[in-house]
Amino acid sequence: MAPAKKRNVSSVKTAEKSAKKAKVDLSKTVERILESRKHANDVFDILESLQAEQEKEVISAVAACSELFCALLERKELFLGKLPGEEDALSGGYSAEDKYRIFMRHRYTSCVEILLEHLSHEHAMCCLMKFAAGEGLHPLEDLDWSEHYTFPERYTLSFVALVDNLLSKATDNSLLISRFQEFLEMEDVRYYVMSSIRDNAVVPVYQNNVFTLMSSISMPNQESELTNFMVKQEAKHEDWKAAKLHEHKRVFERMWLGFLKYKLPNSMYKKVLVILHDSILPYMSKPTLMIDFLTAAYEIGGAISLLALNGLFVLIHQHNLDYPDFYKKLYNLLEPSVFHVKYRARFFHLANVFLSSSHLPVYLVAAFAKRLARLALTAPPTALLIVLPFIYNLIRRHPSCRVLIHKPSAEDEPFEDPYLTDEEDPAQCRALESSLWEIKSLQKHYHPDVAKAALLINTPLSEQEDDISETLEVTTYELMEKDLKQPEIKSVPLEFETATRLLKGGGDVLGQHFCLA
Amino acid sequence: MGKAPKKRSLADKVRKTKTSSEIKNNPFEVKINRKKFDVLGRKSKHDVGLPGVSRSKAVNKRKETLLKEYKQKNRCSKFIDRRFGEYDTKMAPEDKILQRFTMERQRVHEKKDVYNLNEEEELTHYGQSLAEMEKFNDVVNSDDESEEKGLLSAELTASHFGGGGGLLRKKALGEEEEGGQRAKSRQELIEELIQKSKQEKRERQVQREEAQELTEKLDQDWKNIQSLMVKKTPKADKQEEKPKLEEYDMMVRELGFEMKAQPSEKMKTPEELAKEEREKLQKLEADRLRRMMGEEVVEGAQSQIHFSADDLNDGFVLDKHDKKTLAYQDGKWNMGEEEEEEEEEDEAEDEEGEGESSEEQESDAEEDEVEEEEEEEEEEEEEEGSGEDDGHSDLESEQESENEEEEEASPKPKKTLSKEEVKAQQEAAKAELPYTFAAPESYNDLKDMLRGHTSDNQRLIVARTQKSNHPSLAVGNKLKLQKLFGFLLEYIGELATRSPPELSTIDKLIPEVYALCQMFPDAACKAMQSILGDAAHSMEETLEVKGHAAFPTLDMLIYLKVTALLFPTSDFRHPVTTPALLFISQALTKCPVRSLQDLTSGLVLCSLGVEYVSFSKRFLPELINFLVGTLHLAVQDKASLGYIVVPPFRASGKYSDLLVLSSSESCRSWSKKSLPLSATQQLDLGNDPDRDTHRLTCLSTCLDLVKRCCLLYKDLPSFTHIFQPIRTLLSKHLSTQTLPEPLQELSSEIVEAISSMPVTQSALVFDKRKPIPLKLLTPKIVEVLDYGKKRGSTREEREKERLKHKYKREFKGALREIRKDSRFLAREKLNEVMNRDAERKRKVKELMGSLATQEGEWKSLKRKKK
């Protein structure tokens, strides 16, 4: 019965195409196919609507496909082992049952191909993952488990193709990858994804995709957390690599090192550095392998150096990295843009940590304080509210730095500021001989909070250190809200000079340079 | 019977007082609290105590309260005696009985009355029952009345009949009564009592009636006399005289009002006026300085406007401090001079005034309205006066007038229409303008109201709206005008966003906005804050998403400028201007310059920044950064800078050559012109020369701002470091380039100014503090001025101390009382037990006795038997 049908496949196909152009009830078709093999040819309907124009139709077709083929996989009605060609199957000496299976297996393969084409649909991806899970449980290849302790997906068409397509070199798949993230929760999927990201290319879109995929991998912390598998391997579980944390770590490390080996664009550099310290370094089996990368990044300068600091800190702090001239480099990182970059809060948090040691030489601390004060002359108020307490904390920790704000010995003799701005070595910059006149200038700052903070140097500083962590993230708008949301103002002072014209008043600066017309 | 017990009680009282004095004199009863020393002039209440008396008092009190409670313990029912006056100790028992009896009788009587139909309807004459009158006992004022009743009549008789003296007679009467009373039975007594009360009532009625009659008579008399008085003036005369009177009245009133309208003080000479004005300005200036230093504002010193005694404090006389008193100058009326200055507006004013007055003449020409109208007119005049620039420059301080001269020198917006045309147009338009406007309920109402009018008329409309909805005229007006302020602000924003922006209209509306702001500072503050907050919030949001934002649009720039006009920018902390400054700084740091428009916006912001800090000379780092960046844009050769450019500018990049001239040709033809504010929004510079002109204008603006900053910040200790990049830029980079003459002069001036500043500084030291003195061992001597008061502490501390002391005393007292209570109770319990035991013993004894007798009898019986 079945072979007869198969012989007039092409004619039936065209006939059906013309006849059933109208809406096909796909779920009914699926039921029919599963009910009896008589209707096996209806599978072409489904595959056809899978290629339809309308999105809705495609979605329903995808659902139908997943239902159909998952059921078939479960029933083992797909051909196992090496698949013979469709023509071969007809001519070869297969039984009718086998022929049916081969037929279905071919439809399955073509379905997977179509789905891969439609990968931009998340439904298609979910469907593929379902196939992968199904194949994992009921492998299509006849494998000997004792030989391959590996995840079946590696050998399934759908899974490998899926990962390859995700990491496309042409399109940005970040949305799809974020959807894929939920599958990455599963240990075995993660393991094989990590080990399948291998070959690299210096194509920005590809790198972007790879980075999105890699950064969405969240590693388990302990071996006992490895419980969520897509395919359970009851036998040989002990020997299975995907079930071992150190294997995971090894693959993870290899993946990242492989990625970072290539030249990255600056934005990618920043992205990597932002997540480096808390989602990469802790999960590497040998974090010290990152030293080269980090030192290279630290040398680049600018924002990248600022970001590299964080990773370096972890290495210095936890892995005993000895970094010569660390402070000198940190000192040279201080330039006006520090106050304007996005990572200001992170930088000051780390700088605070680095400079919290009481074993630092005085000249170094003084140099930092003076440099920061000098830079404060160009800083916005939100940064000033961080920097001023920061400098005060430095002076508090190192009482011998008090000469910066209190030098009674040289009170009456005016002298030029001996501090050398351009000197790169903090030891040579003569900061200790100077005074923090910059803070004195900031006492005239327009923002009341800053002016108040700057006024503190007029009196001896209190013993208690200021907590700068609260002010690190304050934005200008929040600062503004402080004044805007004042609950009860007694009475608002008003300008007493009568306003007559738009451009008058306030020294007429605007009126002098601009006119209304 | 009633008298005897009274006497006894009196005697009792006497005896009791006697005993108390006896007790006081009894040395065994008295305890004298010995004082350690006498204090002169101090009276102590407790130098002598009577422990026995006070103890017995306490025991009695406990018996009445505690003991009763104790006895009532564990009992749910209670006996309450509800008889009248049972617990009233002040009442004599006889009175009690009497009262109870009367009450009972009354109750019975009332019950009877319910069904007694005849009694209820009482016929009266003059409010007096006929039944009573028929008894003819009106005159019965005989002597044989009871004592209290007789008082009045007795005196009357005494005065009427004289002879013998009232006292004697009274005494005799009393005696007689006493004699008579003894014979009376209880029944009689009560009847008498009833009679007495009835009679009293009647008497009162009679009295009232008499009074009424008298007043009626008086009224009638007066009527007669009145008619006589009225009739005296003949009717014919009256008619003639009436208009005359009115005319006269009117004249008198007019004169009176003229007097009122003029200042009550004497006319002031110009010198005095100038002096006053200066003093006021000085006071305001001092106030401003204090706020700038960030000191706490003292309440009361706050009032910026001089209030008159009649001021309703509703802001009606908002421009009071600009009010010009009638004054003569060089033989001419001072106010007339002003009016000459701008004819058009004045004429409009006159017209308006006439219109108003004619309107109001149509209606009742009542005095109040006349007054009001005059006031209004006057006020309008004042406002116009203040609207003009230099109307009274000669009256103000020298500094002021100097300023104004500068203002005059500065270019004014040119007028496209000639004066005559404007006049004609205005007159034509004015004919249409109504004089009163309803306050707009919504922003669209305002827009509808102002649509299609010239800018001058728009201003007039707003002014009239404001006047016709003055808070003093109706209740809801205050809210309406507050809303109007918000709408006006919105309208200004809309005008600025139109293309092309209608800035001249905004310019015209400014005085109205200012006036409204002065009226409602709080509402104005809120409205401005919300605008600033919204703008800042949207900027923050774009910053979070993109990392940079676009320059604020023209309406925001105008708002910032209006803020500076309405609120003082020099305050240390101000709810509006501080956020506004923050907004400016935020815009200057976060908005990248990508076109010449952006740059123009940035320069407007810089100018605003300079204006904001021009008085307080506060340091605005973002301003310097932006100016450096702007200058950097003009540098041709970006290699080997020698200074650092601060974000949003970049040392090199796509937009870093914005101000570099395309050809040096344009330098020659360039001359300084004001940039239009609309250049911040759209700039169509087709060709290179035009663009170069714009560039050079921007550069000159920038340089001028730098110069101003140099002057502003010359006192800062790190002046040289702040201006270091500018100096390098100007001396090393820009000087090599070809620039127009004036710009080069300007830049060399700046460089000179920077390098002339001293570079040496004296080292920082802490503020000198008063040294903390050593502790001294000599006693501190404090002069005691008022005795008996605890010293050396603040009022709160003293109060706290006092309360603590009081609490302690009360606590001790309460403790003592509780102890005494429990002692008393224990004694009572013991007494109870003892009594019970005694009783038992007695009973046992009795029983034993009876048993013994029984036994004895039995035994005797037995013996007898035997």
Side-chain angles (χ1 to χ4, degrees), chain B residues 631-638 643 657 660 729 733-734 737:
Chain B
L631 290 178
H632 172 74
L633 294 180
V635 174
Q636 264 165 352
D637 179 24
K638 308 275 191 209
Y643 57 87
D657 289 335
V660 176
L729 259 169
H733 297 278
L734 284 182
Q737 282 169 230

Side-chain angles (χ1 to χ4, degrees), chain A residues 378 381 406-407 415 437 441 444 446 458 476 483 493 495 501-502 506 510 512-517, chain B residues 288 503 507 514 518 561 573-574 585-586 611 619 622 625 675-677 704 708 718 761-762 764 766-767:
Chain A
T378 61
H406 183 61
K407 199 179 275 175
F415 57 93
W437 291 292
S441 305
K444 289 287 277 178
Y446 70 92
N458 282 356
T476 314
D483 278 309
E495 179 64 50
R501 327 212 61 150
L502 183 62
L510 201 60
Q512 198 169 343
H513 297 289
F514 296 92
C515 61
L516 291 173
Chain B
R288 176 200 281 272
L503 297 175
D507 189 35
Y514 179 80
Q518 294 284 321
K561 176 64 198 169
R573 174 161 239 147
H574 189 281
S585 109
Q586 171 88 327
E611 280 189 10
F619 179 41
E622 293 84 353
N625 293 348
L675 283 169
L677 276 176
D704 183 69
R708 281 169 192 271
S718 32
Q761 296 281 338
S762 50
L764 288 181
F766 292 143
D767 280 348

Side-chain angles (χ1 to χ4, degrees), chain B residues 563-820:
Chain B
T563 307
L565 288 175
L566 299 183
F567 301 101
T569 51
S570 56
D571 286 12
F572 185 67
R573 174 161 239 147
H574 189 281
V576 184
T577 49
T578 306
L581 252 179
L582 265 176
F583 183 79
I584 292 176
S585 109
Q586 171 88 327
L588 286 178
T589 37
K590 296 288 183 194
C591 304
V593 175
R594 289 187 171 157
S595 62
L596 283 177
Q597 277 110 291
D598 286 351
L599 188 69
T600 320
S601 297
L603 285 174
V604 172
L605 281 172
C606 284
S607 317
L608 282 172
V610 172
E611 280 189 10
Y612 270 70
V613 295
S614 62
F615 188 80
S616 55
K617 300 199 170 151
R618 294 193 200 288
F619 179 41
L620 191 61
E622 293 84 353
L623 175 64
I624 306 289
N625 293 348
F626 195 89
L627 293 177
V628 171
T630 310
L631 290 178
H632 172 74
L633 294 180
V635 174
Q636 264 165 352
D637 179 24
K638 308 275 191 209
S640 71
L641 288 178
Y643 57 87
I644 298 167
V645 188
V646 182
F649 294 95
R650 291 192 185 156
S652 58
K654 197 174 160 195
Y655 301 107
S656 59
D657 289 335
L658 266 182
L659 280 185
V660 176
L661 298 180
S662 52
S663 71
S664 51
E665 288 297 305
S666 45
C667 291
R668 264 165 249 152
S669 58
W670 179 80
S671 65
K672 163 89 180 155
K673 255 190 259 163
S674 291
L675 283 169
L677 276 176
S678 54
T680 57
Q681 294 319 108
Q682 56 192 42
L683 204 57
D684 25 86
L685 301 169
N687 46 2
D688 276 349
D690 273 358
R691 223 171 280 156
D692 276 352
T693 325
H694 189 82
R695 281 175 183 145
L696 284 171
T697 318
C698 284
L699 204 57
S700 87
T701 308
C702 176
L703 283 174
D704 183 69
L705 290 175
V706 170
K707 196 178 151 199
R708 281 169 192 271
C709 288
C710 275
L711 283 175
L712 278 181
Y713 298 142
K714 65 175 187 287
D715 293 331
L716 291 184
S718 32
F719 176 85
T720 42
H721 298 301
I722 293 168
F723 284 89
Q724 178 62 35
I726 289 176
R727 191 182 169 188
T728 331
L729 259 169
L730 292 180
S731 56
K732 287 197 186 140
H733 297 278
L734 284 182
S735 61
T736 56
Q737 282 169 230
T738 46
L739 284 179
E741 225 20 47
L743 292 193
Q744 274 180 351
E745 268 174 38
L746 203 58
S747 83
S748 58
E749 256 177 62
I750 295 166
V751 172
E752 236 170 70
I754 296 175
S755 44
S756 68
M757 292 303 291
V759 285
T760 55
Q761 296 281 338
S762 50
L764 288 181
V765 282
F766 292 143
D767 280 348
K768 287 206 174 61
R769 285 192 310 180
K770 231 177 175 179
I772 301 160
L774 291 174
K775 270 189 183 163
L776 299 178
L777 294 173
T778 48
K780 189 180 171 191
I781 295 166
V782 180
E783 205 176 352
V784 178
L785 293 172
D786 46 349
Y787 290 91
K789 276 189 181 168
K790 289 218 167 107
R791 286 168 301 272
S793 52
T794 63
R795 196 174 180 172
E796 286 82 38
E797 276 172 354
R798 246 178 293 150
E799 182 68 16
K800 205 175 162 191
E801 205 59 35
R802 194 179 65 80
L803 286 176
K804 223 188 240 171
H805 181 68
K806 203 172 172 184
Y807 160 75
K808 215 170 169 182
R809 224 173 38 202
E810 288 298 320
F811 183 76
K812 275 183 177 169
L815 215 62
R816 202 162 46 221
E817 285 302 304
I818 290 169
R819 276 200 201 109
K820 277 182 184 166

